[in-house]
């Protein structure tokens, strides 16, 4: 169950892609996230994935059909975007806040997700994200 939440958090962590367009390139991006869960003595292994991001569809589609997500706040300052998102699902509620900075074909960011599962204590995950532009989106 934790792996599912981590994968979802990774996808959610890139909600910030509605970015400062001057620093953002439409296309295929490769993102690597390093997630730490509060209360665990060691970090989880990094996860790398690719996602097609465009101005017309700046928010990646979640591959987890068990959650419905929406961006609740977003601000852009220069080449940095800050955001908040909320995801509701049968397993509980996830609240994420994050920030990402774009510089041409690279980006760096971080996010914090609080997961409230029914009948469980709240969990907190912190993700550090690095990304690079790969090229045009596949057709």
């Amino acid at each position: 169950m934790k792996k599912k939440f981590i994968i979802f958090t990774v996808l959610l962590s890139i909600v910030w892609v509605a970015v400062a367009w001057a620093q953002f390139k439409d296309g295929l991006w490769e993102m690597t996230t390093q997630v730490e869960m509060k209360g665990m003595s060691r970090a989880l292994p990094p996860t790398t994935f690719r996602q097609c991001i465009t101005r017309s569809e700046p928010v990646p589609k979640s591959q987890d059909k068990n959650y419905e997500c929406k961006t609740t706040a977003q601000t852009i300052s220069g080449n940095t975007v800050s955001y908040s998102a909320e995801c509701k699902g049968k397993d509980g509620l996830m609240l994420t806040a994050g920030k990402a900075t774009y510089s041409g074909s690279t980006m760096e960011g971080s996010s914090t997700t609080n997961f409230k599962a029914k009948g469980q204590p709240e969990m907190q995950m912190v993700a550090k994200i690095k990304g690079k532009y790969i090229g045009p989106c596949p057709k």
Side-chain angles (χ1 to χ4, degrees):
M1 186 164 124
K2 285 183 183 178
K3 184 175 181 179
K4 186 177 186 180
F5 295 126
I6 292 166
I7 291 169
F8 182 75
T9 300
V10 167
L11 292 174
L12 185 59
S13 295
I14 58 175
V15 166
W16 34 250
V17 295
V19 299
W21 299 122
Q23 294 293 320
F24 175 75
K25 292 184 178 185
D26 281 3
L28 186 63
W29 284 78
E30 182 174 88
M31 307 287 180
T32 300
T33 60
Q34 178 68 56
V35 176
E36 294 182 14
M37 293 185 71
K38 190 175 181 178
M40 289 182 67
S41 59
R42 58 184 213 198
L44 299 166
T47 303
T48 300
F49 60 96
R50 289 183 176 189
Q51 181 74 47
C52 188
I53 306 296
T54 65
R55 287 182 178 99
S56 63
E57 290 191 40
V59 179
K61 306 278 189 260
S62 173
Q63 296 177 8
D64 189 336
K65 305 288 185 211
N66 295 319
Y67 287 90
E68 184 177 319
C69 300
K70 66 179 179 178
T71 301
T72 56
Q74 175 179 295
T75 57
I76 297 172
S77 178
N79 63 340
T80 299
V81 88
S82 300
Y83 66 91
S84 297
E86 175 182 276
C87 295
K88 295 179 182 177
K90 65 178 183 173
D91 294 326
L93 174 68
M94 285 190 248
L95 303 172
T96 299
K99 184 185 336 188
T101 301
Y102 283 82
S103 181
S105 60
T106 63
M107 63 74 57
E108 287 192 36
S110 63
S111 68
T112 301
T113 299
N114 292 302
F115 178 67
K116 300 174 184 179
K118 296 173 184 172
Q120 300 290 323
E122 185 173 311
M123 293 188 299
Q124 186 177 73
M125 297 172 274
V126 176
K128 294 187 188 221
I129 309 153
K130 289 189 178 191
K132 62 182 179 180
Y133 176 79
I134 301 298
C137 295
K139 295 193 179 200

